[in-house]
Amino acid sequence: ISLPYVLDSNNSSLYFVSTKKEHTVETHTFRTLSGDISLDGDARLSIDLSSVDTGVETRDGRMKEHLFDINTYPLAQVSLSLDYDTVKAVPAGTTQEMEISATLNLYGVDIQIDTQVQVSRLSSSRILVQNIQPILLNATDFGLEAGIETLRTLANLTSISYAVPVNFNLVFQTQEPVQAG
Ligand code: UQ8
């Protein structure tokens, strides 16, 4: 039997990196992720931008308002199609590299991300999907540079880089089949 996979958000994470004043590099995250993989192989990841966590509340608030504009764009969404049977066939305890081509929608803009992921089967019902190389976003591709300049001015900084590396660890699980008898 085949069953859809649903993101186990408690065991999944997505981190991004910012650089300010040339050499000050910080790691941030989004607390709320959701996603699924359908039997047709449609995989989706939804990132709640209001759950941004940089460890500084004032900064989180400013990013939601001036960078992401969460009232208009509450989510970043990733979608791709893959071969469900290939994913299903990864034996438990093993890892397989896969080339994927995904679409990221952020700030109303779609960009294509071609990258390599590692798919590890943790058990019959759980898989772990991780990027192999860091994914490099450029804020200008989404028209986010004006928002970054606003943040820079508010925080009185000499610079904030438009280059943003992203890493993710995503655990997907299928519902365990109910044992007969
Ligand atoms: C089986 C199988 C293969 C399944 C597939 C499953 C699947 C769905 C896989 C997904 C695959 C995939 C390709 C995923 C892609 C994931 C990505 C790339 C998601 C994107 C996530 C995202 C939205 C990232 C953010 C992007 C972005 C442009 C962020 C901007 C970051 C910046 C530049 C922040 C600046 C921070 C800063 C330095 C602020 C200045 C500051 C302020 C304002 C402040 O107030 C303050 O305090 C007072 C400071 O000091 C502390 C400040 O520094």
Side-chain angles (χ1 to χ4, degrees):
I1 40 159
S2 293
L3 292 164
Y5 284 84
V6 176
L7 190 78
D8 175 357
S9 52
N10 289 326
N11 290 298
S12 298
S13 59
L14 184 146
Y15 288 92
F16 65 98
V17 171
S18 71
T19 305
K20 65 181 179 185
K21 296 183 289 179
E22 208 170 349
H23 298 304
T24 304
V25 180
E26 296 172 273
T27 302
H28 318 289
T29 193
F30 295 100
R31 294 269 163 229
T32 309
L33 308 174
S34 58
D36 45 49
I37 305 170
S38 78
L39 297 181
D40 295 329
D42 296 322
R44 292 182 304 184
L45 172 67
S46 201
I47 301 154
D48 180 349
L49 298 175
S50 73
S51 73
V52 66
D53 186 353
T54 70
V56 179
E57 251 177 74
T58 305
R59 176 162 62 184
D60 295 348
R62 287 172 167 173
M63 286 180 68
K64 290 179 225 180
E65 183 180 351
H66 301 292
L67 181 67
F68 297 132
D69 186 8
I70 58 162
N71 290 326
T72 309
Y73 306 107
L75 303 172
Q77 287 176 297
V78 183
S79 55
L80 62 143
S81 54
L82 44 84
D83 183 32
Y84 181 94
D85 290 335
T86 306
V87 175
K88 194 185 174 189
V90 177
T94 72
T95 287
Q96 194 163 304
E97 288 183 13
M98 291 182 194
E99 298 275 350
I100 60 165
S101 180
T103 302
L104 167 63
N105 182 278
L106 171 62
Y107 205 60
V109 176
D110 276 346
I111 66 149
Q112 195 183 320
I113 299 177
D114 294 333
T115 193
Q116 257 184 322
V117 295
Q118 176 172 295
V119 179
S120 306
R121 178 164 292 284
L122 306 176
S123 72
S124 58
S125 60
R126 290 162 71 80
I127 57 166
L128 168 64
V129 183
Q130 299 166 295
N131 58 304
I132 293 177
Q133 50 289 86
I135 294 175
L136 301 178
L137 298 183
N138 194 305
T140 55
D141 291 343
F142 304 94
L144 284 169
E145 62 271 35
I148 291 185
E149 289 310 317
T150 302
L151 297 179
R152 186 181 64 73
T153 305
L154 286 171
N156 197 22
L157 297 166
T158 48
S159 70
I160 300 178
S161 176
Y162 296 161
V164 180
V166 178
N167 286 286
F168 58 80
N169 300 281
L170 304 174
V171 173
F172 290 90
Q173 59 189 1
T174 57
Q175 210 181 309
E176 280 289 359
V178 179
Q179 291 289 119

